[in-house]
Amino acid sequence: MLGYKNRTAFYMKKPHSWCSDDWDKRYREYNLAEIQKNGRKNIEYLNFMERALKETGIADRPKDGVSIIEVGCGSGPLGAHLLDLGYKVVFSDWSEVVVDRLSKEFGYKAFTADCTNLSNIEDESYDVILLAGTIYNFEDYDMPNKIYKEF
């Protein structure tokens, strides 16, 4: 089995740091609509998300009364899917470029945030927190603990 760093380098075209400047550079070049479209083809993940909303009772509530945040949203495929289902979703990422593009290109409500320091968000202000790739896109093995602690 490949180790974490080898596996990460294997899947990436070129290794890079996980700093926001690097993500900003990538998000300037990416076709966000295409990436989002491809992300929304992951039916297993979308079905898992919808099933989780049902099992937690969130799906039984009026959709316009449920507040959802997608943390480390990237192109935002999960939140976009929930928007299509009628939920209110706010997007956050630490890349100012992607946040700006999501707002301008898709009309999403989005803001810049570091998922390990969400002090600018009032406690218990969201009913659902979406978190996908952010949890494993770090070279810091303790990062998931830091994120979960912050949540």
Side-chain angles (χ1 to χ4, degrees):
M1 182 163 111
L2 292 173
Y4 174 80
K5 288 188 178 187
N6 290 337
R7 188 173 63 246
T8 300
F10 177 76
Y11 286 112
M12 296 181 320
K13 291 181 181 172
K14 59 182 179 180
H16 60 78
S17 72
W18 296 105
C19 69
S20 61
D21 289 343
D22 189 52
W23 286 107
D24 284 348
K25 181 180 183 292
R26 288 170 173 256
Y27 284 125
R28 278 187 199 95
E29 299 168 1
Y30 286 165
N31 178 333
L32 290 186
E34 187 66 27
I35 292 171
Q36 188 180 103
K37 181 177 126 186
N38 289 336
R40 293 174 75 176
K41 289 180 183 176
N42 188 339
I43 300 302
E44 290 177 1
Y45 199 64
L46 297 178
N47 287 342
F48 173 82
M49 183 176 58
E50 288 184 42
R51 193 171 60 250
L53 293 175
K54 288 177 186 169
E55 289 182 15
T56 59
I58 296 288
D60 297 331
R61 295 170 46 189
K63 291 178 180 177
D64 63 352
V66 176
S67 58
I68 299 173
I69 184 170
E70 185 174 358
V71 177
C73 63
S75 66
L78 302 178
H81 179 71
L82 292 178
L83 282 171
D84 287 348
L85 296 177
Y87 289 98
K88 292 189 295 186
V89 181
V90 173
F91 299 80
S92 75
D93 199 282
W94 70 343
S95 167
E96 291 181 22
V97 171
V98 78
V99 165
D100 186 53
R101 288 188 63 194
L102 289 172
S103 297
K104 289 179 180 173
E105 294 176 29
F106 299 101
Y108 296 167
K109 182 177 180 185
F111 66 94
T112 306
D114 174 351
C115 60
T116 63
N117 180 4
L118 299 171
S119 59
N120 59 328
I121 300 173
E122 185 178 332
D123 287 349
E124 300 183 32
S125 56
Y126 292 98
D127 301 307
V128 177
I129 299 172
L130 298 176
L131 180 69
T134 301
I135 203 68
Y136 64 82
N137 279 341
F138 293 96
E139 293 173 332
D140 178 352
Y141 290 114
D142 194 41
M143 189 57 68
N145 291 331
K146 293 174 186 174
I147 293 170
Y148 290 136
K149 182 180 177 185
E150 183 63 17
F151 286 177

